[in-house]
Amino acid sequence: MACRKAVKAVLIDLSGTLHIEDTAVPGAQDALQRLRKAAVAVKFVTNTTKESKKNLLNRLQRLNFNVQEQEIFTSLSAARSLLVQKQHRPLLLVEDSALEDFSGIDTSEPNAVVVGLAPDHFNYQTLNKAFRMILSGAPLIAIHKARYYKRTDGLALGPGPFVTGLEYATDCKATVVGKPESTFFTQALSDVGCGPDEAVMIGDDARDDVGGAQNVGMLGILVRTGRIEISSSLLLSLQHSHIRQTPTFAQPSNNVI
């Protein structure tokens, strides 16, 4: 740890770290305010695909979080950038509330399959359409592959199992754009103008938040308010010199600098 540079930026996960659906993690608002008084940049990085960035911002502001839209970097943003770059016309398996982030993208005669968290669309008919498109050569793009996420009523399946099912059925490999992909973290760091050895990632997912951050050279802080069911083998696989654990977001914000 002695060789690490002074912290210049803090990347913060949202769902499971600052809030769980429409409930804020106790003390998180005050902790964020304390963190903002330090001379560091703050970037909110999320795999949330259930809603657009605008809807997510409104949710956070209703919960009294001091967050600006330009501070949020989502896996939906990363997916949109890839679609524009590749000039794909996607079949979008995302919730209707997330479609706003793909406005202007041509979806006529789709030639690519994009999968996010879409409980209302994960039915046999839609998945079979995606399956047939992939067999015919359409690329499979996973906004992320989280296995599950935390809701107020408990853990729920994420998009990962559905992406993996399509991969298995079609014998193809999805392109993943969200956490824990290195490109996701490097793009977020580029937005705040600092390197991995000058940044800290705070999140509730040992694999996607902490593991992904470690893979690009960041320090990871794991909070235990979201995905608390973590296997011992996963924790053992993480670089313990680059990980800290803490009960909630309120604790790391006190000593991250």
Side-chain angles (χ1 to χ4, degrees), residues 152-164:
T152 53
D153 62 349
L155 296 180
L157 283 175
F162 300 93
V163 174
T164 301

Side-chain angles (χ1 to χ4, degrees), residues 12-250:
I12 305 171
D13 176 53
L14 291 174
S15 179
T17 301
L18 293 188
H19 71 100
I20 298 173
E21 295 186 331
D22 286 322
T23 302
V25 170
Q29 297 100 325
D30 290 341
L32 179 58
Q33 287 297 95
R34 291 195 299 271
L35 184 59
R36 287 195 180 280
K37 293 178 181 178
V40 296
V42 174
K43 192 79 173 179
F44 302 95
V45 291
T46 177
N47 271 348
T48 296
T49 62
K50 302 188 300 295
E51 56 193 346
S52 68
K53 182 189 291 188
K54 181 179 179 180
N55 289 342
L56 176 59
L57 176 65
N58 290 338
R59 180 197 296 265
L60 293 169
Q61 292 179 340
R62 286 197 307 270
L63 294 175
N64 296 317
F65 284 106
N66 177 17
V67 177
Q68 304 302 315
E69 184 173 1
Q70 66 270 19
E71 294 178 313
I72 302 175
F73 181 60
T74 75
S75 53
L76 292 174
S77 304
R80 181 189 176 94
S81 295
L82 180 64
L83 292 174
V84 171
Q85 176 189 346
K86 299 292 187 180
Q87 297 184 325
H88 288 321
R89 301 185 307 276
L91 170 68
L92 292 168
L93 272 66
V94 299
E95 287 293 84
D96 293 344
S97 56
L99 290 175
E100 179 182 355
D101 283 359
F102 295 96
S103 62
I105 298 289
D106 185 4
T107 58
S108 63
E109 299 181 4
N111 60 4
V113 174
V114 176
V115 182
L117 182 61
D120 292 340
H121 300 290
F122 284 153
N123 56 65
Y124 185 86
Q125 182 177 354
T126 303
L127 289 170
N128 201 49
K129 179 179 180 180
F131 163 72
R132 290 176 176 176
M133 285 179 57
I134 298 165
L135 284 182
S136 297
L140 173 60
I141 300 169
I143 300 179
H144 63 91
K145 290 182 71 175
R147 297 168 298 159
Y148 51 84
Y149 67 103
K150 185 71 173 288
R151 302 192 312 199
T152 53
D153 62 349
L155 296 180
L157 283 175
F162 300 93
V163 174
T164 301
L166 288 170
E167 288 178 321
Y168 175 75
T170 60
D171 196 26
C172 80
K173 190 71 174 175
T175 297
V176 184
V177 297
K179 295 180 290 185
E181 295 303 301
S182 296
T183 52
F184 183 89
F185 287 97
T186 55
Q187 187 170 346
L189 290 172
S190 175
D191 287 348
V192 295
C194 76
D197 57 348
E198 302 170 310
V200 172
M201 173 71 208
I202 304 174
D204 69 308
D205 190 310
R207 176 179 284 103
D208 290 354
D209 294 328
V210 174
Q214 287 185 345
N215 288 339
V216 296
M218 296 173 61
L219 173 68
I221 297 179
L222 180 67
V223 300
R224 306 303 295 268
T225 47
R227 296 172 176 84
I228 58 173
E229 288 76 4
I230 304 170
S231 69
S232 57
S233 60
L234 174 57
L235 285 175
L236 286 172
S237 71
L238 299 174
Q239 304 171 42
H240 282 268
S241 62
H242 289 74
I243 180 174
R244 300 174 188 169
Q245 294 189 61
T246 187
T248 72
F249 175 73

